[in-house]
Amino acid sequence: MERIWARPTLEVHGIIGGFTGEGAKTVIPAVGKAKISMRLPADLKSKEVFPLFERRVKELAPAGVEVTVRNFHGGEGVLVSPDSPAMRAAAEALKETFGKDPVFIREGGSIPVAALFYEVLNVPVVLMGFGLPDDNLHSPNEKYSLSQFFKGIRTVASFLQKLGSGSSLSS
């Protein structure tokens, strides 16, 4: 679980190179491309990490190979304390709707606006997921059940009510 929840990641999302059509070819490709992403901990900034990544990729390239590394997008991480008033309100709302205490996880995702809200607006960030493991999020045949959708609506309404009334602030 630590590897899934708490550690930084580097993923290769796609590799392109050489002949990809029907049949066989024995030529060495002139160009190869890879799409990479990283999930960074909240204390590392993407603008600091990218030059380090670019330098290391170029160091590892074989002699005579020209390497270009492009940064298409950068987003920052955010880590919110489960003891914050907003998270306590969220926990109460989730328990009210689902009948069980929520499990807090340090999940990685690509929601750059969350860190931006936290940093620039200085407002609490709460991310609650209502999907189920078999929903195949961002995959072919993705789905989302109506029962989870309606539970999500009830949870968010309860969360906003609890946060607005300050009931979680006094606990």
Side-chain angles (χ1 to χ4, degrees):
M1 290 298 164
E2 177 188 343
R3 288 183 181 185
I4 295 171
W5 293 350
R7 292 189 178 172
T9 65
L10 187 146
E11 300 90 25
V12 178
H13 296 282
I15 298 175
I16 302 168
F19 178 74
T20 58
E22 292 292 323
K25 297 283 185 198
T26 59
V27 295
I28 297 172
V31 175
K33 296 180 181 184
K35 291 219 175 187
I36 309 288
S37 71
M38 292 180 237
R39 183 175 68 213
L40 303 176
D43 60 344
L44 285 179
K45 301 299 178 200
S46 59
K47 288 181 181 179
E48 297 169 1
V49 173
F50 178 75
L52 300 172
F53 173 74
E54 179 181 31
R55 185 179 77 210
R56 186 62 178 147
V57 168
K58 288 181 176 184
E59 288 172 356
L60 293 171
V65 173
E66 181 184 322
V67 175
T68 302
V69 182
R70 291 190 202 118
N71 187 352
F72 290 109
H73 180 289
E76 310 308 330
V78 63
L79 182 61
V80 179
S81 170
D83 298 321
S84 72
M87 291 299 281
R88 287 197 310 260
E92 289 176 18
L94 286 161
K95 184 172 184 176
E96 182 180 286
T97 301
F98 290 92
K100 296 181 181 180
D101 288 321
V103 176
F104 292 97
I105 61 174
R106 291 178 68 181
E107 184 69 38
S110 297
I111 311 172
V113 74
L116 191 63
F117 283 167
Y118 191 73
E119 183 181 329
V120 174
L121 301 177
N122 196 27
V123 295
V125 176
V126 174
L127 301 173
M128 293 184 274
F130 299 104
L132 298 173
D134 68 344
D135 287 340
N136 296 322
L137 188 63
H138 301 307
S139 300
N141 298 319
E142 178 180 18
K143 69 169 184 64
Y144 186 60
S145 73
L146 286 175
S147 66
Q148 287 300 106
F149 176 72
F150 291 121
K151 286 177 184 176
I153 291 172
R154 286 194 296 276
T155 303
V156 171
S158 175
F159 163 69
L160 293 172
Q161 185 175 32
K162 292 173 186 320
L163 189 62
S165 71
S167 68
S168 298
L169 304 177
S170 59
S171 15

